[in-house]
Amino acid sequence: MKQFWVDIRPWRKDLATTAIESGADVLVVDDAARVRELGRVTTVAKDGDLVPGKDVFLIDITDKATEEEALRLSRQGYVIVRTQDWTVIPLENLVAQSDRIIAAVTTADEAAVALTVLERGAAGILLATGDPGEIRRVAKVVAGSGAEVALTTFEVTRIAPVGMGDRVCVDTCSLLADGEGMLVGNTSSAFLMVHPETLENPYVAPRPFRVNAGAVHAYILLPGEKTAYLADLTTGDRVLVAEHTGATREAVVGRVKIERRPLLLVEAKAGGAKVSLVLQNAETIRLVREDGSAVSVANLAVGDRVLGSVAEGGRHFGVAVKETIREK
């Protein structure tokens, strides 16, 4: 997730309040105590959580020498970079070599550019503005800056009940939408998109914050191309929510429910790639078709086409590694 920093210097309570309510990660201020009166949020100040000159550095990029200085300082902490005419090339040079670059911006348009340079973007942006509305606009840009995930259309090849087991419901702190889902798989090399419980059902009310994601052993794709076992998710973790278009966003886990239920194995293929997932065997569990519509596992048939993703297999504590590994 890209970081959203806001510069509240000189102090204005209305700007600070708007920033906090908009989900700002960090406030840069002269007096951290004023922020603590409003809420819990990381501060950059002499008396703050992050101290200027020690944890955070500010560099004006004017030439190659200042670029090199910014890279050197990024080995010690975050570096806020400012460019005199807001040219992209210096930022591209820095982003290509460091994941601790915070780009100073003044508008939502500048933020959009900073968060997408080289298709990777800066680690975050520092917004300086006197307009509460601009803070809200930039917050929306940051929230929508998740990297796209490459989706693959798989053809279902097998559907089979496999008996009883423990499955995981991931309840998030966000309302999920039709056509979204979480990417989950039996292996770390391929995932299927599991739809949230957003649809009306004659048996249970919709739970638009929930994805009944699969059995406890399954991998779930997380932000930053990491994975976790479903059973290891806990309150406060961040999970990746993907749209059927490939756009992604993050959601915070509010609760994880593990319960014993009848299970179903779904296998599918796309060219030479194969994917499988063990899901709860119930009408309310759905996968996602190419057009974003949901298909219940109760109605799923061999030959149906559903969305998923192919990744590089081999993980060590959720991080992709180059090693010889075979999962089946």
Side-chain angles (χ1 to χ4, degrees):
M1 182 69 177
K2 301 300 185 181
Q3 296 196 42
F4 180 26
W5 296 24
V6 183
D7 194 336
I8 315 292
R9 297 176 300 179
W11 174 257
R12 277 181 52 181
K13 184 177 180 180
D14 63 325
L15 295 180
T17 300
T18 300
I20 293 171
E21 291 177 348
S22 299
D25 300 291
V26 178
L27 299 189
V28 179
V29 293
D30 293 317
D31 182 2
R34 285 177 165 176
V35 178
R36 297 187 188 108
E37 294 174 357
L38 302 177
R40 290 182 178 270
V41 62
T42 301
T43 56
V44 175
K46 290 182 179 179
D47 61 339
D49 304 293
L50 302 174
V51 178
K54 177 184 176 184
D55 307 301
V56 179
F57 306 90
L58 173 64
I59 294 288
D60 287 300
I61 304 299
T62 58
D63 52 25
K64 199 64 180 177
T66 50
E67 277 188 39
E68 293 174 354
E69 176 67 3
L71 286 174
R72 185 187 68 82
L73 291 171
S74 72
R75 301 185 189 101
Q76 302 175 44
Y78 285 106
V79 179
I80 301 167
V81 298
R82 294 187 301 203
T83 56
Q84 291 180 332
D85 57 357
W86 222 91
T87 52
V88 173
I89 297 302
L91 187 58
E92 288 183 343
N93 294 342
L94 294 170
V95 166
Q97 301 176 74
S98 175
D99 59 0
R100 289 183 173 181
I101 301 300
I102 304 294
V105 302
T106 59
T107 67
D109 288 341
E110 291 178 357
V113 174
L115 294 171
T116 56
V117 292
L118 295 182
E119 299 183 1
R120 174 183 177 184
I125 54 96
L126 170 66
L127 173 66
T129 181
D131 181 4
E134 196 66 29
I135 293 176
R136 288 188 283 269
R137 284 189 286 273
V138 172
K140 291 180 180 179
V141 171
V142 176
S145 64
E148 288 201 358
V149 62
L151 295 179
T152 300
T153 300
F154 288 91
E155 181 180 334
V156 176
T157 57
R158 184 186 177 206
I159 308 159
V162 292
M164 299 294 291
D166 295 318
R167 66 92 174 105
V168 180
C169 283
V170 182
D171 291 352
T172 72
C173 297
S174 300
L175 293 177
L176 308 180
D178 294 351
E180 292 186 326
M182 295 179 187
L183 291 161
V184 191
N186 283 339
T187 72
S188 61
S189 60
F191 310 87
L192 290 175
M193 185 181 291
V194 186
H195 199 274
E197 295 188 5
T198 56
L199 304 178
E200 293 289 340
N201 182 279
Y203 309 108
V204 295
R207 299 287 188 267
F209 51 80
R210 172 175 296 169
V211 174
N212 190 329
V216 286
H217 71 281
Y219 288 101
I220 180 170
L221 191 61
L222 302 180
E225 299 182 354
K226 296 181 179 179
T227 62
Y229 296 121
L230 286 177
D232 287 346
L233 292 178
T234 60
T235 300
D237 286 346
R238 292 181 179 271
V239 291
L240 190 75
V241 177
E243 296 181 16
H244 72 281
T245 58
T248 68
R249 62 188 175 101
E250 294 184 15
V252 176
V253 176
R255 173 178 53 242
V256 173
K257 291 182 63 180
I258 301 177
E259 296 168 308
R260 190 164 178 80
R261 293 290 187 269
L263 302 177
L264 187 75
L265 171 65
V266 177
E267 295 179 346
K269 66 178 182 179
K274 295 182 179 180
V275 65
S276 68
L277 177 60
V278 176
L279 293 156
Q280 181 179 340
N281 188 357
E283 192 275 339
T284 54
I285 286 70
R286 299 175 173 91
L287 300 177
V288 182
R289 296 189 180 98
E290 295 170 275
D291 62 358
S293 62
V295 54
S296 168
V297 296
N299 300 321
L300 194 67
V302 171
D304 283 351
R305 294 163 65 85
V306 293
L307 289 177
S309 181
V310 177
E312 186 174 355
R315 300 275 170 166
H316 184 66
F317 294 107
V319 179
V321 294
K322 295 283 187 180
E323 65 175 347
T324 301
I325 185 171
R326 183 182 180 190
E327 296 174 311
K328 64 177 184 177

mmCIF file with all atom_site columns, all heavy atoms in Angstrom, residues 243-265:
data_model
loop_
_atom_site.group_PDB
_atom_site.id
_atom_site.type_symbol
_atom_site.label_atom_id
_atom_site.label_alt_id
_atom_site.label_comp_id
_atom_site.label_asym_id
_atom_site.label_entity_id
_atom_site.label_seq_id
_atom_site.pdbx_PDB_ins_code
_atom_site.Cartn_x
_atom_site.Cartn_y
_atom_site.Cartn_z
_atom_site.occupancy
_atom_site.B_iso_or_equiv
_atom_site.pdbx_formal_charge
_atom_site.auth_seq_id
_atom_site.auth_comp_id
_atom_site.auth_asym_id
_atom_site.auth_atom_id
_atom_site.pdbx_PDB_model_num
ATOM 1   N N   . GLU A 1 243 ? -10.274 -6.637  -8.467  1.00 0.00 ? 243 GLU A N   1
ATOM 2   C CA  . GLU A 1 243 ? -11.435 -6.540  -9.336  1.00 0.00 ? 243 GLU A CA  1
ATOM 3   C C   . GLU A 1 243 ? -11.245 -7.485  -10.525 1.00 0.00 ? 243 GLU A C   1
ATOM 4   O O   . GLU A 1 243 ? -10.116 -7.876  -10.838 1.00 0.00 ? 243 GLU A O   1
ATOM 5   C CB  . GLU A 1 243 ? -11.613 -5.112  -9.851  1.00 0.00 ? 243 GLU A CB  1
ATOM 6   C CG  . GLU A 1 243 ? -11.903 -4.091  -8.773  1.00 0.00 ? 243 GLU A CG  1
ATOM 7   C CD  . GLU A 1 243 ? -12.094 -2.702  -9.365  1.00 0.00 ? 243 GLU A CD  1
ATOM 8   O OE1 . GLU A 1 243 ? -12.307 -2.594  -10.586 1.00 0.00 ? 243 GLU A OE1 1
ATOM 9   O OE2 . GLU A 1 243 ? -12.010 -1.719  -8.613  1.00 0.00 ? 243 GLU A OE2 1
ATOM 10  N N   . HIS A 1 244 ? -12.328 -7.809  -11.196 1.00 0.00 ? 244 HIS A N   1
ATOM 11  C CA  . HIS A 1 244 ? -12.214 -8.722  -12.343 1.00 0.00 ? 244 HIS A CA  1
ATOM 12  C C   . HIS A 1 244 ? -11.453 -8.077  -13.495 1.00 0.00 ? 244 HIS A C   1
ATOM 13  O O   . HIS A 1 244 ? -11.037 -8.767  -14.426 1.00 0.00 ? 244 HIS A O   1
ATOM 14  C CB  . HIS A 1 244 ? -13.602 -9.161  -12.808 1.00 0.00 ? 244 HIS A CB  1
ATOM 15  C CG  . HIS A 1 244 ? -14.389 -8.097  -13.504 1.00 0.00 ? 244 HIS A CG  1
ATOM 16  N ND1 . HIS A 1 244 ? -15.049 -7.091  -12.819 1.00 0.00 ? 244 HIS A ND1 1
ATOM 17  C CD2 . HIS A 1 244 ? -14.616 -7.869  -14.824 1.00 0.00 ? 244 HIS A CD2 1
ATOM 18  C CE1 . HIS A 1 244 ? -15.649 -6.305  -13.690 1.00 0.00 ? 244 HIS A CE1 1
ATOM 19  N NE2 . HIS A 1 244 ? -15.403 -6.748  -14.910 1.00 0.00 ? 244 HIS A NE2 1
ATOM 20  N N   . THR A 1 245 ? -11.232 -6.760  -13.410 1.00 0.00 ? 245 THR A N   1
ATOM 21  C CA  . THR A 1 245 ? -10.439 -6.058  -14.417 1.00 0.00 ? 245 THR A CA  1
ATOM 22  C C   . THR A 1 245 ? -8.941  -6.149  -14.150 1.00 0.00 ? 245 THR A C   1
ATOM 23  O O   . THR A 1 245 ? -8.135  -5.789  -15.005 1.00 0.00 ? 245 THR A O   1
ATOM 24  C CB  . THR A 1 245 ? -10.830 -4.580  -14.446 1.00 0.00 ? 245 THR A CB  1
ATOM 25  O OG1 . THR A 1 245 ? -10.613 -4.011  -13.128 1.00 0.00 ? 245 THR A OG1 1
ATOM 26  C CG2 . THR A 1 245 ? -12.294 -4.404  -14.828 1.00 0.00 ? 245 THR A CG2 1
ATOM 27  N N   . GLY A 1 246 ? -8.558  -6.591  -12.942 1.00 0.00 ? 246 GLY A N   1
ATOM 28  C CA  . GLY A 1 246 ? -7.154  -6.663  -12.558 1.00 0.00 ? 246 GLY A CA  1
ATOM 29  C C   . GLY A 1 246 ? -6.730  -5.589  -11.596 1.00 0.00 ? 246 GLY A C   1
ATOM 30  O O   . GLY A 1 246 ? -5.670  -5.685  -10.973 1.00 0.00 ? 246 GLY A O   1
ATOM 31  N N   . ALA A 1 247 ? -7.533  -4.524  -11.459 1.00 0.00 ? 247 ALA A N   1
ATOM 32  C CA  . ALA A 1 247 ? -7.226  -3.482  -10.476 1.00 0.00 ? 247 ALA A CA  1
ATOM 33  C C   . ALA A 1 247 ? -7.319  -4.067  -9.067  1.00 0.00 ? 247 ALA A C   1
ATOM 34  O O   . ALA A 1 247 ? -8.124  -4.976  -8.815  1.00 0.00 ? 247 ALA A O   1
ATOM 35  C CB  . ALA A 1 247 ? -8.187  -2.316  -10.628 1.00 0.00 ? 247 ALA A CB  1
ATOM 36  N N   . THR A 1 248 ? -6.507  -3.567  -8.158  1.00 0.00 ? 248 THR A N   1
ATOM 37  C CA  . THR A 1 248 ? -6.506  -4.096  -6.794  1.00 0.00 ? 248 THR A CA  1
ATOM 38  C C   . THR A 1 248 ? -6.601  -2.979  -5.763  1.00 0.00 ? 248 THR A C   1
ATOM 39  O O   . THR A 1 248 ? -6.318  -1.820  -6.052  1.00 0.00 ? 248 THR A O   1
ATOM 40  C CB  . THR A 1 248 ? -5.238  -4.916  -6.499  1.00 0.00 ? 248 THR A CB  1
ATOM 41  O OG1 . THR A 1 248 ? -4.097  -4.044  -6.471  1.00 0.00 ? 248 THR A OG1 1
ATOM 42  C CG2 . THR A 1 248 ? -5.032  -6.011  -7.525  1.00 0.00 ? 248 THR A CG2 1
ATOM 43  N N   . ARG A 1 249 ? -6.989  -3.364  -4.579  1.00 0.00 ? 249 ARG A N   1
ATOM 44  C CA  . ARG A 1 249 ? -6.952  -2.484  -3.412  1.00 0.00 ? 249 ARG A CA  1
ATOM 45  C C   . ARG A 1 249 ? -6.681  -3.339  -2.193  1.00 0.00 ? 249 ARG A C   1
ATOM 46  O O   . ARG A 1 249 ? -6.672  -4.576  -2.273  1.00 0.00 ? 249 ARG A O   1
ATOM 47  C CB  . ARG A 1 249 ? -8.255  -1.701  -3.250  1.00 0.00 ? 249 ARG A CB  1
ATOM 48  C CG  . ARG A 1 249 ? -9.503  -2.565  -3.024  1.00 0.00 ? 249 ARG A CG  1
ATOM 49  C CD  . ARG A 1 249 ? -10.748 -1.704  -3.069  1.00 0.00 ? 249 ARG A CD  1
ATOM 50  N NE  . ARG A 1 249 ? -11.985 -2.451  -2.970  1.00 0.00 ? 249 ARG A NE  1
ATOM 51  C CZ  . ARG A 1 249 ? -12.721 -2.569  -1.868  1.00 0.00 ? 249 ARG A CZ  1
ATOM 52  N NH1 . ARG A 1 249 ? -12.307 -1.989  -0.727  1.00 0.00 ? 249 ARG A NH1 1
ATOM 53  N NH2 . ARG A 1 249 ? -13.850 -3.251  -1.871  1.00 0.00 ? 249 ARG A NH2 1
ATOM 54  N N   . GLU A 1 250 ? -6.467  -2.700  -1.072  1.00 0.00 ? 250 GLU A N   1
ATOM 55  C CA  . GLU A 1 250 ? -6.210  -3.430  0.155   1.00 0.00 ? 250 GLU A CA  1
ATOM 56  C C   . GLU A 1 250 ? -7.411  -3.344  1.088   1.00 0.00 ? 250 GLU A C   1
ATOM 57  O O   . GLU A 1 250 ? -8.180  -2.380  1.048   1.00 0.00 ? 250 GLU A O   1
ATOM 58  C CB  . GLU A 1 250 ? -4.980  -2.872  0.869   1.00 0.00 ? 250 GLU A CB  1
ATOM 59  C CG  . GLU A 1 250 ? -3.697  -3.081  0.112   1.00 0.00 ? 250 GLU A CG  1
ATOM 60  C CD  . GLU A 1 250 ? -2.478  -2.617  0.882   1.00 0.00 ? 250 GLU A CD  1
ATOM 61  O OE1 . GLU A 1 250 ? -2.602  -2.390  2.113   1.00 0.00 ? 250 GLU A OE1 1
ATOM 62  O OE2 . GLU A 1 250 ? -1.410  -2.481  0.279   1.00 0.00 ? 250 GLU A OE2 1
ATOM 63  N N   . ALA A 1 251 ? -7.566  -4.367  1.898   1.00 0.00 ? 251 ALA A N   1
ATOM 64  C CA  . ALA A 1 251 ? -8.584  -4.361  2.944   1.00 0.00 ? 251 ALA A CA  1
ATOM 65  C C   . ALA A 1 251 ? -7.955  -4.881  4.233   1.00 0.00 ? 251 ALA A C   1
ATOM 66  O O   . ALA A 1 251 ? -7.062  -5.738  4.194   1.00 0.00 ? 251 ALA A O   1
ATOM 67  C CB  . ALA A 1 251 ? -9.783  -5.221  2.550   1.00 0.00 ? 251 ALA A CB  1
ATOM 68  N N   . VAL A 1 252 ? -8.416  -4.366  5.340   1.00 0.00 ? 252 VAL A N   1
ATOM 69  C CA  . VAL A 1 252 ? -7.920  -4.788  6.653   1.00 0.00 ? 252 VAL A CA  1
ATOM 70  C C   . VAL A 1 252 ? -8.774  -5.935  7.172   1.00 0.00 ? 252 VAL A C   1
ATOM 71  O O   . VAL A 1 252 ? -10.010 -5.885  7.100   1.00 0.00 ? 252 VAL A O   1
ATOM 72  C CB  . VAL A 1 252 ? -7.952  -3.610  7.642   1.00 0.00 ? 252 VAL A CB  1
ATOM 73  C CG1 . VAL A 1 252 ? -7.521  -4.063  9.037   1.00 0.00 ? 252 VAL A CG1 1
ATOM 74  C CG2 . VAL A 1 252 ? -7.062  -2.475  7.159   1.00 0.00 ? 252 VAL A CG2 1
ATOM 75  N N   . VAL A 1 253 ? -8.131  -6.958  7.697   1.00 0.00 ? 253 VAL A N   1
ATOM 76  C CA  . VAL A 1 253 ? -8.850  -8.097  8.268   1.00 0.00 ? 253 VAL A CA  1
ATOM 77  C C   . VAL A 1 253 ? -9.426  -7.692  9.624   1.00 0.00 ? 253 VAL A C   1
ATOM 78  O O   . VAL A 1 253 ? -8.706  -7.221  10.512  1.00 0.00 ? 253 VAL A O   1
ATOM 79  C CB  . VAL A 1 253 ? -7.924  -9.310  8.442   1.00 0.00 ? 253 VAL A CB  1
ATOM 80  C CG1 . VAL A 1 253 ? -8.663  -10.462 9.131   1.00 0.00 ? 253 VAL A CG1 1
ATOM 81  C CG2 . VAL A 1 253 ? -7.381  -9.761  7.089   1.00 0.00 ? 253 VAL A CG2 1
ATOM 82  N N   . GLY A 1 254 ? -10.732 -7.864  9.764   1.00 0.00 ? 254 GLY A N   1
ATOM 83  C CA  . GLY A 1 254 ? -11.366 -7.574  11.050  1.00 0.00 ? 254 GLY A CA  1
ATOM 84  C C   . GLY A 1 254 ? -11.551 -8.815  11.900  1.00 0.00 ? 254 GLY A C   1
ATOM 85  O O   . GLY A 1 254 ? -11.554 -8.745  13.130  1.00 0.00 ? 254 GLY A O   1
ATOM 86  N N   . ARG A 1 255 ? -11.703 -9.957  11.229  1.00 0.00 ? 255 ARG A N   1
ATOM 87  C CA  . ARG A 1 255 ? -11.946 -11.204 11.957  1.00 0.00 ? 255 ARG A CA  1
ATOM 88  C C   . ARG A 1 255 ? -11.692 -12.364 11.008  1.00 0.00 ? 255 ARG A C   1
ATOM 89  O O   . ARG A 1 255 ? -11.886 -12.246 9.797   1.00 0.00 ? 255 ARG A O   1
ATOM 90  C CB  . ARG A 1 255 ? -13.402 -11.242 12.449  1.00 0.00 ? 255 ARG A CB  1
ATOM 91  C CG  . ARG A 1 255 ? -13.856 -12.552 13.073  1.00 0.00 ? 255 ARG A CG  1
ATOM 92  C CD  . ARG A 1 255 ? -15.301 -12.469 13.561  1.00 0.00 ? 255 ARG A CD  1
ATOM 93  N NE  . ARG A 1 255 ? -16.200 -12.011 12.520  1.00 0.00 ? 255 ARG A NE  1
ATOM 94  C CZ  . ARG A 1 255 ? -16.921 -10.890 12.579  1.00 0.00 ? 255 ARG A CZ  1
ATOM 95  N NH1 . ARG A 1 255 ? -16.832 -10.109 13.642  1.00 0.00 ? 255 ARG A NH1 1
ATOM 96  N NH2 . ARG A 1 255 ? -17.714 -10.547 11.586  1.00 0.00 ? 255 ARG A NH2 1
ATOM 97  N N   . VAL A 1 256 ? -11.262 -13.479 11.546  1.00 0.00 ? 256 VAL A N   1
ATOM 98  C CA  . VAL A 1 256 ? -11.100 -14.719 10.779  1.00 0.00 ? 256 VAL A CA  1
ATOM 99  C C   . VAL A 1 256 ? -11.922 -15.807 11.466  1.00 0.00 ? 256 VAL A C   1
ATOM 100 O O   . VAL A 1 256 ? -11.792 -16.022 12.672  1.00 0.00 ? 256 VAL A O   1
ATOM 101 C CB  . VAL A 1 256 ? -9.615  -15.137 10.707  1.00 0.00 ? 256 VAL A CB  1
ATOM 102 C CG1 . VAL A 1 256 ? -9.486  -16.509 10.059  1.00 0.00 ? 256 VAL A CG1 1
ATOM 103 C CG2 . VAL A 1 256 ? -8.810  -14.105 9.924   1.00 0.00 ? 256 VAL A CG2 1
ATOM 104 N N   . LYS A 1 257 ? -12.787 -16.458 10.700  1.00 0.00 ? 257 LYS A N   1
ATOM 105 C CA  . LYS A 1 257 ? -13.636 -17.522 11.240  1.00 0.00 ? 257 LYS A CA  1
ATOM 106 C C   . LYS A 1 257 ? -13.226 -18.848 10.626  1.00 0.00 ? 257 LYS A C   1
ATOM 107 O O   . LYS A 1 257 ? -13.289 -19.026 9.405   1.00 0.00 ? 257 LYS A O   1
ATOM 108 C CB  . LYS A 1 257 ? -15.109 -17.241 10.933  1.00 0.00 ? 257 LYS A CB  1
ATOM 109 C CG  . LYS A 1 257 ? -15.699 -16.054 11.676  1.00 0.00 ? 257 LYS A CG  1
ATOM 110 C CD  . LYS A 1 257 ? -17.172 -15.885 11.330  1.00 0.00 ? 257 LYS A CD  1
ATOM 111 C CE  . LYS A 1 257 ? -17.985 -17.072 11.776  1.00 0.00 ? 257 LYS A CE  1
ATOM 112 N NZ  . LYS A 1 257 ? -19.420 -16.925 11.438  1.00 0.00 ? 257 LYS A NZ  1
ATOM 113 N N   . ILE A 1 258 ? -12.820 -19.787 11.455  1.00 0.00 ? 258 ILE A N   1
ATOM 114 C CA  . ILE A 1 258 ? -12.445 -21.125 10.999  1.00 0.00 ? 258 ILE A CA  1
ATOM 115 C C   . ILE A 1 258 ? -13.462 -22.112 11.572  1.00 0.00 ? 258 ILE A C   1
ATOM 116 O O   . ILE A 1 258 ? -13.630 -22.208 12.789  1.00 0.00 ? 258 ILE A O   1
ATOM 117 C CB  . ILE A 1 258 ? -11.022 -21.496 11.468  1.00 0.00 ? 258 ILE A CB  1
ATOM 118 C CG1 . ILE A 1 258 ? -10.006 -20.482 10.918  1.00 0.00 ? 258 ILE A CG1 1
ATOM 119 C CG2 . ILE A 1 258 ? -10.664 -22.904 11.013  1.00 0.00 ? 258 ILE A CG2 1
ATOM 120 C CD1 . ILE A 1 258 ? -8.584  -20.717 11.392  1.00 0.00 ? 258 ILE A CD1 1
ATOM 121 N N   . GLU A 1 259 ? -14.140 -22.820 10.667  1.00 0.00 ? 259 GLU A N   1
ATOM 122 C CA  . GLU A 1 259 ? -15.180 -23.751 11.079  1.00 0.00 ? 259 GLU A CA  1
ATOM 123 C C   . GLU A 1 259 ? -15.105 -25.021 10.234  1.00 0.00 ? 259 GLU A C   1
ATOM 124 O O   . GLU A 1 259 ? -14.668 -24.979 9.083   1.00 0.00 ? 259 GLU A O   1
ATOM 125 C CB  . GLU A 1 259 ? -16.561 -23.101 10.915  1.00 0.00 ? 259 GLU A CB  1
ATOM 126 C CG  . GLU A 1 259 ? -16.746 -21.889 11.834  1.00 0.00 ? 259 GLU A CG  1
ATOM 127 C CD  . GLU A 1 259 ? -17.977 -21.075 11.478  1.00 0.00 ? 259 GLU A CD  1
ATOM 128 O OE1 . GLU A 1 259 ? -18.117 -20.697 10.298  1.00 0.00 ? 259 GLU A OE1 1
ATOM 129 O OE2 . GLU A 1 259 ? -18.790 -20.817 12.378  1.00 0.00 ? 259 GLU A OE2 1
ATOM 130 N N   . ARG A 1 260 ? -15.544 -26.126 10.814  1.00 0.00 ? 260 ARG A N   1
ATOM 131 C CA  . ARG A 1 260 ? -15.515 -27.413 10.119  1.00 0.00 ? 260 ARG A CA  1
ATOM 132 C C   . ARG A 1 260 ? -16.740 -27.525 9.214   1.00 0.00 ? 260 ARG A C   1
ATOM 133 O O   . ARG A 1 260 ? -17.886 -27.379 9.673   1.00 0.00 ? 260 ARG A O   1
ATOM 134 C CB  . ARG A 1 260 ? -15.484 -28.553 11.137  1.00 0.00 ? 260 ARG A CB  1
ATOM 135 C CG  . ARG A 1 260 ? -15.203 -29.924 10.510  1.00 0.00 ? 260 ARG A CG  1
ATOM 136 C CD  . ARG A 1 260 ? -14.811 -30.931 11.582  1.00 0.00 ? 260 ARG A CD  1
ATOM 137 N NE  . ARG A 1 260 ? -14.574 -32.254 11.026  1.00 0.00 ? 260 ARG A NE  1
ATOM 138 C CZ  . ARG A 1 260 ? -13.447 -32.617 10.426  1.00 0.00 ? 260 ARG A CZ  1
ATOM 139 N NH1 . ARG A 1 260 ? -12.464 -31.745 10.324  1.00 0.00 ? 260 ARG A NH1 1
ATOM 140 N NH2 . ARG A 1 260 ? -13.304 -33.843 9.946   1.00 0.00 ? 260 ARG A NH2 1
ATOM 141 N N   . ARG A 1 261 ? -16.486 -27.785 7.928   1.00 0.00 ? 261 ARG A N   1
ATOM 142 C CA  . ARG A 1 261 ? -17.564 -27.809 6.941   1.00 0.00 ? 261 ARG A CA  1
ATOM 143 C C   . ARG A 1 261 ? -17.246 -28.849 5.854   1.00 0.00 ? 261 ARG A C   1
ATOM 144 O O   . ARG A 1 261 ? -16.082 -29.238 5.685   1.00 0.00 ? 261 ARG A O   1
ATOM 145 C CB  . ARG A 1 261 ? -17.714 -26.433 6.278   1.00 0.00 ? 261 ARG A CB  1
ATOM 146 C CG  . ARG A 1 261 ? -18.191 -25.321 7.197   1.00 0.00 ? 261 ARG A CG  1
ATOM 147 C CD  . ARG A 1 261 ? -19.656 -25.529 7.581   1.00 0.00 ? 261 ARG A CD  1
ATOM 148 N NE  . ARG A 1 261 ? -20.187 -24.382 8.321   1.00 0.00 ? 261 ARG A NE  1
ATOM 149 C CZ  . ARG A 1 261 ? -20.170 -24.258 9.641   1.00 0.00 ? 261 ARG A CZ  1
ATOM 150 N NH1 . ARG A 1 261 ? -19.632 -25.225 10.384  1.00 0.00 ? 261 ARG A NH1 1
ATOM 151 N NH2 . ARG A 1 261 ? -20.690 -23.196 10.222  1.00 0.00 ? 261 ARG A NH2 1
ATOM 152 N N   . PRO A 1 262 ? -18.233 -29.295 5.079   1.00 0.00 ? 262 PRO A N   1
ATOM 153 C CA  . PRO A 1 262 ? -17.958 -30.157 3.930   1.00 0.00 ? 262 PRO A CA  1
ATOM 154 C C   . PRO A 1 262 ? -17.204 -29.368 2.866   1.00 0.00 ? 262 PRO A C   1
ATOM 155 O O   . PRO A 1 262 ? -17.502 -28.189 2.619   1.00 0.00 ? 262 PRO A O   1
ATOM 156 C CB  . PRO A 1 262 ? -19.354 -30.570 3.444   1.00 0.00 ? 262 PRO A CB  1
ATOM 157 C CG  . PRO A 1 262 ? -20.271 -29.508 3.976   1.00 0.00 ? 262 PRO A CG  1
ATOM 158 C CD  . PRO A 1 262 ? -19.676 -29.059 5.276   1.00 0.00 ? 262 PRO A CD  1
ATOM 159 N N   . LEU A 1 263 ? -16.242 -30.009 2.219   1.00 0.00 ? 263 LEU A N   1
ATOM 160 C CA  . LEU A 1 263 ? -15.352 -29.322 1.290   1.00 0.00 ? 263 LEU A CA  1
ATOM 161 C C   . LEU A 1 263 ? -15.464 -29.867 -0.128  1.00 0.00 ? 263 LEU A C   1
ATOM 162 O O   . LEU A 1 263 ? -15.900 -30.997 -0.348  1.00 0.00 ? 263 LEU A O   1
ATOM 163 C CB  . LEU A 1 263 ? -13.906 -29.431 1.776   1.00 0.00 ? 263 LEU A CB  1
ATOM 164 C CG  . LEU A 1 263 ? -13.606 -28.868 3.167   1.00 0.00 ? 263 LEU A CG  1
ATOM 165 C CD1 . LEU A 1 263 ? -12.148 -29.124 3.547   1.00 0.00 ? 263 LEU A CD1 1
ATOM 166 C CD2 . LEU A 1 263 ? -13.942 -27.393 3.255   1.00 0.00 ? 263 LEU A CD2 1
ATOM 167 N N   . LEU A 1 264 ? -15.019 -29.020 -1.071  1.00 0.00 ? 264 LEU A N   1
ATOM 168 C CA  . LEU A 1 264 ? -15.114 -29.336 -2.492  1.00 0.00 ? 264 LEU A CA  1
ATOM 169 C C   . LEU A 1 264 ? -13.798 -28.945 -3.159  1.00 0.00 ? 264 LEU A C   1
ATOM 170 O O   . LEU A 1 264 ? -13.270 -27.852 -2.922  1.00 0.00 ? 264 LEU A O   1
ATOM 171 C CB  . LEU A 1 264 ? -16.264 -28.528 -3.106  1.00 0.00 ? 264 LEU A CB  1
ATOM 172 C CG  . LEU A 1 264 ? -16.659 -28.805 -4.547  1.00 0.00 ? 264 LEU A CG  1
ATOM 173 C CD1 . LEU A 1 264 ? -17.436 -30.126 -4.623  1.00 0.00 ? 264 LEU A CD1 1
ATOM 174 C CD2 . LEU A 1 264 ? -17.525 -27.670 -5.077  1.00 0.00 ? 264 LEU A CD2 1
ATOM 175 N N   . LEU A 1 265 ? -13.268 -29.828 -3.979  1.00 0.00 ? 265 LEU A N   1
ATOM 176 C CA  . LEU A 1 265 ? -12.050 -29.529 -4.739  1.00 0.00 ? 265 LEU A CA  1
ATOM 177 C C   . LEU A 1 265 ? -12.420 -29.039 -6.137  1.00 0.00 ? 265 LEU A C   1
ATOM 178 O O   . LEU A 1 265 ? -13.199 -29.667 -6.843  1.00 0.00 ? 265 LEU A O   1
ATOM 179 C CB  . LEU A 1 265 ? -11.180 -30.786 -4.863  1.00 0.00 ? 265 LEU A CB  1
ATOM 180 C CG  . LEU A 1 265 ? -9.970  -30.683 -5.809  1.00 0.00 ? 265 LEU A CG  1
ATOM 181 C CD1 . LEU A 1 265 ? -8.961  -29.667 -5.295  1.00 0.00 ? 265 LEU A CD1 1
ATOM 182 C CD2 . LEU A 1 265 ? -9.320  -32.051 -5.997  1.00 0.00 ? 265 LEU A CD2 1
#
